[in-house]
Every structure is written in structure tokens, then in C-alpha cells.
């Protein structure tokens, strides 16, 4: 939230209080300044001032480096285990018949599983998911 200071009486005001304060006869011709960036605004110019510098920028000045863009160093965003699990299911579905030791009925369900985004990773929950959601019976 942006705060302003009246140059006439040095009162600190929230943005929504500035207009009422300016209407007063004693402070109507004084400008207001932003508390964070010290920019001075005359008349209704303060209304366009919606964002300002952060406290880190204000007090650290030349030491401030700003937010890192892109996760830092091009490494990318760290993936969660569920995303990696779904990628493995998608790869297995794309390479039909390549999963050794997998029953044909389960092999046929891999493309359907790859379309879903909530396939459990835990073995017990996975078996329950297969029997209840995909109607695959496991011996």
C-alpha cells in the first residue's frame, strides 16, 4: 500500500485519505509526497502512483539485486515427484509393449492413465486406483 505525506502539515496519509485531506482549506495548495520513493505530486497526480519501490530497494540502495527471474541460472523450476511420476507413465504409454513384465490388460490402460493427472505413486493406493477407477483386477 502506498502512503503519502502532506508537505503542508507533514501528516502521513493512505492513498484513499489524500483527497479528503487536500479538500481542507489549510492544506489544499500543498503537494503530497510518497513516503517510500519521496516523489512529489501536485494536485491529483498522486492517483496515478499505484506501485512504489520496496523497502529493500529503499534502504539497501546499491546492494539491492532485485528478484531473480527464471529460477536463477537457467536451471529451471524444480519439478515435484508427482510430475516426474506422470512423465514416466506418459513415456511408458508412448512406448507400447516396451515395459517388460507388464500384463497386457495393464499395458492397454497406460494411455488412459497418462491422460489422468492424479495417478497415485504409493503401491497400495495405486492398486486401489487401478481396481476402482480403471476396473483392472490385480491378482
Amino acid at each position: 500500500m502506498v502512503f503519502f505525506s502532506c508537505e503542508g502539515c507533514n501528516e502521513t496519509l493512505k492513498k484513499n485519505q489524500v483527497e479528503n485531506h487536500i479538500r481542507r482549506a489549510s492544506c489544499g495548495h500543498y503537494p503530497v509526497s510518497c513516503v517510500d520513493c519521496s516523489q512529489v505530486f501536485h494536485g491529483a497526480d498522486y492517483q496515478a502512483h499505484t506501485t512504489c519501490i520496496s523497502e529493500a530497494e529503499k534502504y539497501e540502495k546499491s546492494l539491492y539485486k532485485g528478484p531473480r527471474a527464471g529460477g536463477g541460472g537457467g536451471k529451471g523450476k524444480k519439478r515435484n515427484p508427482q510430475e516426474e511420476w506422470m512423465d514416466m507413465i506418459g513415456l511408458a504409454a508412448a512406448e507400447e509393449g516396451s515395459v517388460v513384465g507388464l500384463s497386457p490388460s495393464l499395458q492397454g490402460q497406460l494411455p488412459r492413465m497418462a491422460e489422468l493427472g492424479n495417478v497415485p505413486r504409493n503401491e497400495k493406493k495405486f492398486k486401489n486406483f487401478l481396481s476402482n477407477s480403471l476396473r483392472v483386477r490385480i491378482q
Side-chain angles (χ1 to χ4, degrees), residues 4 15 18-19 22 32 41-50:
F4 296 94
K15 187 174 183 175
V18 174
E19 188 172 341
I22 290 176
V32 292
F41 300 97
H42 298 278
D45 295 344
Y46 72 92
Q47 292 175 345
H49 191 65
T50 56

Side-chain angles (χ1 to χ4, degrees), residues 84-96 98-99 110 114:
E84 294 190 16
W85 172 246
M86 292 307 298
D87 283 349
M88 288 189 334
I89 291 174
L91 287 173
E95 300 169 4
E96 294 179 23
S98 65
V99 181
L110 282 173

Side-chain angles (χ1 to χ4, degrees), residues 1-6 11-23 32-37 39 41-52:
M1 176 166 285
V2 182
F3 286 88
F4 296 94
S5 176
C6 176
E11 186 175 345
T12 303
L13 310 157
K14 290 182 182 177
K15 187 174 183 175
N16 58 358
Q17 298 171 329
V18 174
E19 188 172 341
N20 291 335
H21 185 78
I22 290 176
R23 286 185 191 155
V32 292
S33 61
C34 176
V35 172
D36 293 327
C37 66
Q39 188 174 355
F41 300 97
H42 298 278
D45 295 344
Y46 72 92
Q47 292 175 345
H49 191 65
T50 56
T51 58
C52 200

Side-chain angles (χ1 to χ4, degrees), residues 68-120:
R68 294 183 181 190
K75 292 182 182 176
K77 182 181 164 193
K78 183 178 177 186
R79 297 172 44 105
N80 67 25
Q82 184 68 24
E83 290 173 337
E84 294 190 16
W85 172 246
M86 292 307 298
D87 283 349
M88 288 189 334
I89 291 174
L91 287 173
E95 300 169 4
E96 294 179 23
S98 65
V99 181
V100 178
L102 193 61
S103 68
S105 63
L106 192 54
Q107 186 77 38
Q109 293 295 333
L110 282 173
R112 192 167 164 207
M113 277 192 272
E115 292 174 359
L116 302 173
N118 59 347
V119 179

